[in-house]
Amino acid sequence: MIKTPISHTFPLGNILLDKNTLEYNTKLILLNKVQEIRDDFALEAKHHIVIDSKLAIVYISEDNGVIPQVVQDFTESAQIFFEVSLLDIALLENFSGSFGAFSARFNNGSVVEFAQAVLFVYEEELLRFRGVYNVADFQSADTLLERLRNNLGEYSYKDIISYKEDYCQYHHRREKYCVKCVDVCPTFGVGANDSLMELAFSMVDCVSCGACVGVCPTNCLEYEEMPKEGLEEIIELYKEQKIFLCSFDDYIKLCEKNVILPESLTPMILPNLLMLNENDLLTMLQTSGNALLVYGDTLSAPMEFLNNITQQIYQKDSIFLVNSVESISTLAQDLPKMESYFYKNRYNKPFRESFAQRLQYMIKEGDFGLAASVATENSAPVFYGDLKVDASKCTLCLSCVGACNVNAIFAKSDDFSLRFNASLCTTCGYCITSCPENVMELSRDGITLKGEYFKSRELAKDTPFLCVECGKAFSTQKSIEKVMGMLGSAFSSDSKKLKTIQCCPDCKVKVMFGQGEANV
């Protein structure tokens, strides 16, 4: 009898269910609905490359220039299956390419091409390439050779990550403020071209970990096999359920250990957990009405941040880590209830708008102090904060408004005021260096859990300046005074030029060229 691989047993999660419980059929129906949603978004491989037998072995020679014996032994075994090239890292000038099509240039100008590489020296940057392996990561030479051999032939991959540059806080900016996606990527799946200020994606190197999606503060990146709308559809099926959340890889491990969950828990198996931001997790809490039980090694920064919030509001954690099979039952018994809230997220906007709406429901009229931002060693930080402006020095030039692409800072034309909504701010800091007056100060301490934090407030205001020709308001008093101070002396000998500073765009032309000529 051939045993069906766990990875092909559907619906995902069913192996963790106890078939002898009354709830089994109900939960199986739920998991089948989840699987249907998952199947709707399943991607087909669109790209194919051929991995040939050319293998590079990268080493560092001994003091006398001799190749280490361990390298010689592995080379002898590898030559049975591969065309091997030995690369002394001390002589390498450049290592480039991608899985199946690497090239190494030596300092003498020669070039070696290969499909895969094995490192006998630790080089972190080289290990970011798919198809480059560190011998220290394998239990034996045979295990490593088996991995290399399994890669031979056609390799197919998908466009798993999509990108919309609309709200990206790196794309075409004057300076680099946000490259969180690049910082967390364990490979070269996403990189930054600082000369063009554009992100660069390599789907052949992408390992589908989802980390870039989870850390993006404006949801510019989408995990196409589980887009946010699809995730919300799945979450809605878990109303009043106690969710046992784990990644696909951890699910396989649990199944191999023959783990059966307590009857009170319902498994939610996702491709990965790093793709989840704080709004995704809060959606789970408020839809299920229960705290989450998360299986894994550590809680992500968004998970810890939510615990900071619920500790302030409810004096309890909302997300609990379970990293041993033995503790699942104990934690399941004590999983606390959470306040339910059924709200549809707005995925055409940066996710902090939806997150702010959900938090306001939790806060209501209360004041629960500060929920601190989170910076951990395991993942990119989650920062929230606030902005201060020296209103006496602000000229309302609106440079900061142009710099902010999430509408946290905006201007009201009817009363010439500058306003700010702290709950929408990603604390990228681009507004700070865009300010010509240097009158802005940004903090990243966390979220103030009080209603006022989620409403726009006035940062600065000025009286309107009226066009000296037609009387129409077109600027502010301070901004005109500043321009007059800068150009007044230069224009002092030309009354027309001096007057144009105080004219609206329509009247400026008339004054410069004369009323008659303007009419013509």
Side-chain angles (χ1 to χ4, degrees):
M1 179 179 177
I2 300 176
K3 187 177 180 180
T4 303
I6 295 170
S7 59
H8 293 97
T9 304
F10 298 115
L12 291 180
N14 80 93
I15 297 179
L16 301 179
L17 299 179
D18 187 346
K19 295 182 179 180
N20 298 316
T21 62
L22 296 174
E23 291 292 316
Y24 174 74
N25 287 331
T26 302
K27 290 183 178 180
L28 188 62
I29 291 171
L30 185 154
L31 293 181
N32 273 311
K33 290 179 180 178
V34 171
Q35 191 63 47
E36 288 175 8
I37 296 171
R38 188 192 305 274
D39 292 343
D40 286 342
F41 292 104
L43 299 176
E44 294 183 2
K46 292 184 177 180
H47 308 283
H48 309 274
I49 55 176
V50 175
I51 309 301
D52 62 29
S53 61
K54 293 180 180 178
L55 175 68
I57 298 178
V58 182
Y59 69 97
I60 184 168
S61 60
E62 296 175 350
D63 294 338
N64 54 6
V66 174
I67 299 173
Q69 187 62 47
V70 65
V71 177
Q72 295 183 46
D73 293 342
F74 183 80
T75 301
E76 185 177 344
S77 299
Q79 285 176 333
I80 300 173
F81 313 102
F82 298 95
E83 179 184 339
V84 178
S85 298
L86 292 173
L87 311 181
D88 186 343
I89 198 166
L91 305 177
L92 280 182
E93 187 176 88
N94 179 263
F95 188 110
S96 60
S98 60
F99 189 31
F102 292 111
S103 66
R105 181 181 297 277
F106 289 89
N107 51 23
N108 63 2
S110 62
V111 176
V112 174
E113 296 180 343
F114 47 95
Q116 301 182 84
V118 172
L119 304 184
F120 278 83
V121 55
Y122 183 77
E123 284 292 333
E124 186 174 356
E125 281 300 295
L126 295 187
L127 289 172
R128 293 181 64 189
F129 287 105
R130 181 186 288 274
V132 176
Y133 302 97
N134 183 9
V135 293
D137 295 333
F138 295 83
Q139 292 183 346
S140 66
D142 289 340
T143 306
L144 174 53
L145 285 170
E146 183 180 3
R147 169 69 67 84
L148 295 168
R149 290 176 64 191
N150 287 339
N151 289 339
L152 295 175
E154 186 176 82
Y155 174 75
S156 303
Y157 59 98
K158 309 171 183 178
D159 291 328
I160 198 75
I161 304 295
S162 63
Y163 169 59
K164 297 179 295 183
E165 59 195 37
D166 307 35
Y167 297 107
C168 179
Q169 301 194 316
Y170 171 76
H171 184 74
H172 289 178
R173 285 190 162 181
R174 296 186 303 276
E175 297 180 46
K176 181 162 63 175
Y177 281 89
C178 179
V179 282
K180 290 182 178 180
C181 54
V182 178
D183 293 339
V184 300
C185 182
T187 68
F188 290 108
V190 56
N193 185 330
D194 290 342
S195 61
L196 298 176
M197 297 302 281
E198 294 178 356
L199 295 179
F201 296 89
S202 172
M203 289 300 103
V204 69
D205 288 304
C206 178
V207 293
S208 306
C209 69
C212 58
V213 176
V215 300
C216 180
T218 60
N219 52 271
C220 289
L221 300 174
E222 187 76 277
Y223 193 91
E224 287 298 328
E225 284 202 317
M226 185 56 68
K228 299 298 184 181
E229 291 91 339
L231 177 62
E232 187 171 20
E233 286 183 41
I234 288 174
I235 294 172
E236 287 175 350
L237 296 172
Y238 284 79
K239 289 178 182 178
E240 301 179 0
Q241 300 289 321
K242 289 185 176 181
I243 298 174
F244 178 82
L245 182 64
C246 76
S247 69
F248 178 75
D249 288 343
D250 283 333
Y251 171 61
I252 299 297
K253 296 175 184 176
L254 290 170
C255 292
E256 291 172 346
K257 295 178 180 179
N258 297 316
V259 172
I260 299 297
L261 295 179
E263 185 178 2
S264 61
L265 296 178
T266 305
M268 181 187 288
I269 315 301
L270 298 179
N272 56 71
L273 302 189
L274 293 177
M275 64 178 280
L276 302 174
N277 59 42
E278 53 270 28
N279 187 58
D280 302 325
L281 294 162
L282 185 53
T283 302
M284 292 182 191
L285 293 172
Q286 293 184 331
T287 302
S288 69
N290 292 288
L292 301 178
L293 197 58
V294 178
Y295 186 81
D297 296 324
T298 59
L299 292 182
S300 65
M303 293 175 182
E304 290 190 16
F305 182 59
L306 272 184
N307 278 343
N308 288 350
I309 291 173
T310 55
Q311 276 291 344
Q312 292 293 113
I313 298 176
Y314 305 120
Q315 294 77 54
K316 61 185 177 183
D317 284 344
S318 55
I319 301 180
F320 295 83
L321 177 69
V322 54
N323 48 25
S324 68
V325 173
E326 295 74 22
S327 60
I328 294 177
S329 295
T330 303
L331 287 170
Q333 291 175 2
D334 301 326
L335 211 58
K337 289 281 187 181
M338 301 300 297
E339 191 174 18
S340 297
Y341 180 41
F342 303 119
Y343 167 81
K344 296 293 290 185
N345 293 313
R346 301 177 64 191
Y347 294 112
N348 61 330
K349 300 285 186 179
F351 76 83
R352 293 196 178 198
E353 290 193 18
S354 295
F355 189 58
Q357 181 67 36
R358 291 184 174 278
L359 284 182
Q360 288 178 81
Y361 180 80
M362 297 166 65
I363 294 165
K364 299 181 177 63
E365 302 301 321
D367 182 354
F368 300 98
L370 183 76
S373 297
V374 173
T376 69
E377 295 180 359
N378 302 313
S379 59
V382 174
F383 284 136
Y384 284 76
D386 211 340
L387 187 68
K388 294 180 181 178
V389 170
D390 186 342
S392 65
K393 297 179 181 178
C394 175
T395 61
L396 275 88
C397 68
L398 305 187
S399 294
C400 55
V401 174
C404 181
N405 65 352
V406 293
N407 297 318
I409 308 175
F410 61 96
K412 286 188 68 178
S413 58
D414 57 344
D415 65 353
F416 286 86
S417 65
L418 182 67
R419 303 188 68 83
F420 174 67
N421 186 329
S423 67
L424 305 182
C425 176
T426 64
T427 71
C428 71
Y430 194 43
C431 58
I432 303 299
T433 50
S434 297
C435 176
E437 314 301 338
N438 195 27
V439 297
M440 309 185 84
E441 181 182 345
L442 179 68
S443 67
R444 294 187 173 95
D445 297 333
I447 282 184
T448 302
L449 300 172
K450 189 176 181 180
E452 285 78 2
Y453 184 86
F454 300 88
K455 297 178 176 63
S456 69
R457 72 173 191 270
E458 187 179 286
L459 293 177
K461 189 176 182 179
D462 197 4
T463 55
F465 186 89
L466 307 181
C467 174
V468 295
E469 279 288 299
C470 68
K472 178 174 67 177
F474 73 98
S475 188
T476 64
Q477 191 73 35
K478 287 182 181 178
S479 60
I480 295 300
E481 288 175 358
K482 179 181 178 180
V483 176
M484 287 290 288
M486 296 170 60
L487 301 178
S489 58
F491 288 0
S492 59
S493 60
D494 190 329
S495 60
K496 285 186 178 181
K497 282 187 177 181
L498 194 61
K499 190 176 183 179
T500 58
I501 298 174
Q502 305 172 72
C503 290
C504 68
D506 293 333
C507 295
K508 191 185 298 287
V509 177
K510 296 178 182 180
V511 171
M512 282 300 297
F513 295 101
Q515 182 67 41
E517 292 180 20
N519 286 337
V520 172

